């Protein structure tokens, strides 16, 4: 019995969505379709860009990185979601829960950094078109992409280390569909003040710095677009930014609604369902947004269909 209690103390039960069995089956089918479409859509972007030489530009290079991050993000979370529908919830060990939390938050942080880099790329393309090729050269693009991954995966380590030291002596049921930080903190029987303080200090920095770079880039971009004389020229210039701007709004909008609240005001239901906006909806919409709004990508997609 003592050994069982120790094992239980080292594991969590992820509740998932709950509900009647009929609803669980329906949700399983819906989430499975979302997961498959997300994987196919993002893999399609990576494949199309890699197999078409005229798409191997900085903008599409960063887009393939975004697609890879979306694939990783959904793969970290969706298998557990699907398993919870079948089993009525799933057990996860303490170490695997921390690993999932670290991987998910690391990918999320990397995506925010990457969106800022993509905004910088659009700024150079529109505000300095004659120097675009020399400024956004291959070496710089690789360094920028590697930097977003490196900083994204490093800046979530302090939170993960602090959370790993918490004690969970009460309920071990996580009322969520994955190891969410806020849901996990609610279960701790030790003080989480240091973690919350770290979140209040570093959280805005992690979000505000990329957001500030994006905002500054678009201020210059819009200023440059307004100086273009022809309406056609302005529309063409703006169309190159429309997809990225739409994705930025989706990401930051959903994150603000979900995480810009203190732990004391945490709602287990609102937080759970709002999380779906950036875990399921945004990765699903990204391929659609870029394929529908980008003429070059649609041409490449059409060419690939004809070859098939």
């Amino acid at each position: 019995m003592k050994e069982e209690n120790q094992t239980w103390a080292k594991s969590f039960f992820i509740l998932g969505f709950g509900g009647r069995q009929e609803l669980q089956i329906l949700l399983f089918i819906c989430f499975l379709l979302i997961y498959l479409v997300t994987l196919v859509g993002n893999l399609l972007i990576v494949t199309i860009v890699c197999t078409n030489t005229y798409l191997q530009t900085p903008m599409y290079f960063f887009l393939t990185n975004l697609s890879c991050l979306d694939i990783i993000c959904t793969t970290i979370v969706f298998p557990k979601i699907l398993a919870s529908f079948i089993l009525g919830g799933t057990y996860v060990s303490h170490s695997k829960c921390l690993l999932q939390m670290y991987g998910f938050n690391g990918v999320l942080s990397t995506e925010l950094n990457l969106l800022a880099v993509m905004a910088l790329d659009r700024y150079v393309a529109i505000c300095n078109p004659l120097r675009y090729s020399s400024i956004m050269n291959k070496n710089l693009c690789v360094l920028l992409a590697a930097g977003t991954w490196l900083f994204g995966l490093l800046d979530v380590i302090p939170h993960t280390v602090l959370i790993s030291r918490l004690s969970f002596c009460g309920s071990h049921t996580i009322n969520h569909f994955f190891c969410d930080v806020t849901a996990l903190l609610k279960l701790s029987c030790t003080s989480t003040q240091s973690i919350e303080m770290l979140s209040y200090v570093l959280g805005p920095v992690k979000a505000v710095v990329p957001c500030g770079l994006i905002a500054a880039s678009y201020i210059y971009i819009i200023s440059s677009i307004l100086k273009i004389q022809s309406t056609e020229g302005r529309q063409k210039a703006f169309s190159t930014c429309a997809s990225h701007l739409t994705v930025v709004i989706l990401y930051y909008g959903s994150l603000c609604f979900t995480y810009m609240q203190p732990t004391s005001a945490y709602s287990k239901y609102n937080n759970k369902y709002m999380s779906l906006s950036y875990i399921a909806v945004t990765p699903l919409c990204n391929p659609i947004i870029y394929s529908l709004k980008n003429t070059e990508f649609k041409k490449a997609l059409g060419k690939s269909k004809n070859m098939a």
Side-chain angles (χ1 to χ4, degrees):
M1 180 64 70
K2 184 177 180 181
E3 185 177 348
E4 288 179 0
N5 288 336
Q6 288 176 349
T7 303
W8 170 248
K10 294 179 181 178
S11 65
F12 297 98
F13 181 74
I14 299 179
L15 190 61
F17 289 96
R20 298 193 306 273
Q21 184 63 29
E22 298 82 2
L23 180 61
Q24 295 288 300
I25 295 171
L26 179 62
L27 288 174
F28 174 83
I29 296 171
C30 291
F31 275 81
L32 180 61
L33 288 174
I34 290 172
Y35 183 44
L36 293 176
V37 172
T38 300
L39 288 182
V40 171
N42 284 286
L43 284 172
L44 183 63
I45 285 182
V46 175
T47 304
I48 293 295
V49 172
C50 292
T51 56
N52 288 270
T53 54
Y54 66 92
L55 289 183
Q56 293 176 18
T57 62
M59 183 179 76
Y60 291 105
F61 170 71
F62 294 130
L63 177 58
T64 57
N65 277 266
L66 183 63
S67 293
C68 288
L69 287 167
D70 285 337
I71 291 170
I72 295 171
C73 179
T74 52
T75 303
I76 287 173
V77 177
F78 265 73
K80 279 293 180 185
I81 296 178
L82 296 174
S84 69
F85 291 133
I86 298 173
L87 304 173
T90 57
Y91 286 98
V92 60
S93 67
H94 183 269
S95 58
K96 288 182 179 179
C97 185
L98 288 175
L99 184 61
Q100 185 190 52
M101 183 186 66
Y102 168 77
F104 174 77
N105 288 320
V107 168
L108 191 65
S109 180
T110 303
E111 286 188 340
L112 294 177
N113 295 334
L114 184 62
L115 288 174
V117 170
M118 293 173 77
L120 178 64
D121 171 68
R122 292 299 82 205
Y123 159 74
V124 177
I126 293 175
C127 299
N128 296 280
L130 298 179
R131 299 178 57 202
Y132 179 69
S133 299
S134 60
I135 295 174
M136 300 301 296
N137 57 69
K138 185 177 180 179
N139 290 335
L140 179 61
C141 291
V142 171
L143 284 174
L144 288 172
T148 61
W149 286 79
L150 181 62
F151 285 114
L153 295 175
L154 286 178
D155 68 14
V156 296
I157 290 178
H159 277 86
T160 307
V161 171
L162 288 175
I163 291 173
S164 68
R165 297 175 178 175
L166 294 177
S167 298
F168 301 94
C169 51
S171 172
H172 289 75
T173 299
I174 299 176
N175 195 338
H176 215 292
F177 49 82
F178 75 109
C179 290
D180 176 66
V181 174
T182 313
L184 203 57
L185 292 181
K186 295 293 290 184
L187 300 180
S188 175
C189 57
T190 53
S191 175
T192 61
Q193 187 174 2
S194 60
I195 300 172
E196 292 189 47
M197 186 65 66
L198 185 66
S199 298
Y200 291 141
V201 173
L202 295 183
V205 174
K206 293 177 185 178
V208 169
V209 171
C211 186
L213 290 173
I214 292 170
S217 296
Y218 273 101
I219 288 173
Y220 284 104
I221 288 170
I222 293 171
S223 177
S224 296
I225 290 176
L226 292 176
K227 293 177 183 177
I228 299 174
Q229 298 297 321
S230 65
T231 303
E232 184 180 353
R234 286 196 296 270
Q235 290 177 346
K236 185 178 180 180
F238 183 75
S239 66
T240 64
C241 305
S243 300
H244 175 259
L245 191 57
T246 304
V247 171
V248 167
I249 292 171
L250 279 175
Y251 266 103
Y252 276 92
S254 59
L255 287 175
C256 286
F257 277 111
T258 306
Y259 287 111
M260 294 302 288
Q261 56 178 327
T263 307
S264 58
Y266 168 78
S267 169
K268 59 185 178 182
Y269 298 109
N270 289 341
N271 193 70
K272 183 189 297 186
Y273 294 110
M274 280 303 301
S275 298
L276 290 174
S277 58
Y278 59 85
I279 292 173
V281 178
T282 306
L284 176 67
C285 291
N286 285 350
I288 299 172
I289 292 169
Y290 276 97
S291 61
L292 290 179
K293 290 182 174 290
N294 195 288
T295 305
E296 290 180 338
F297 188 84
K298 284 191 286 186
K299 287 181 181 178
L301 183 59
K303 187 183 293 185
S304 298
K305 287 181 180 179
N306 293 332
M307 290 176 65

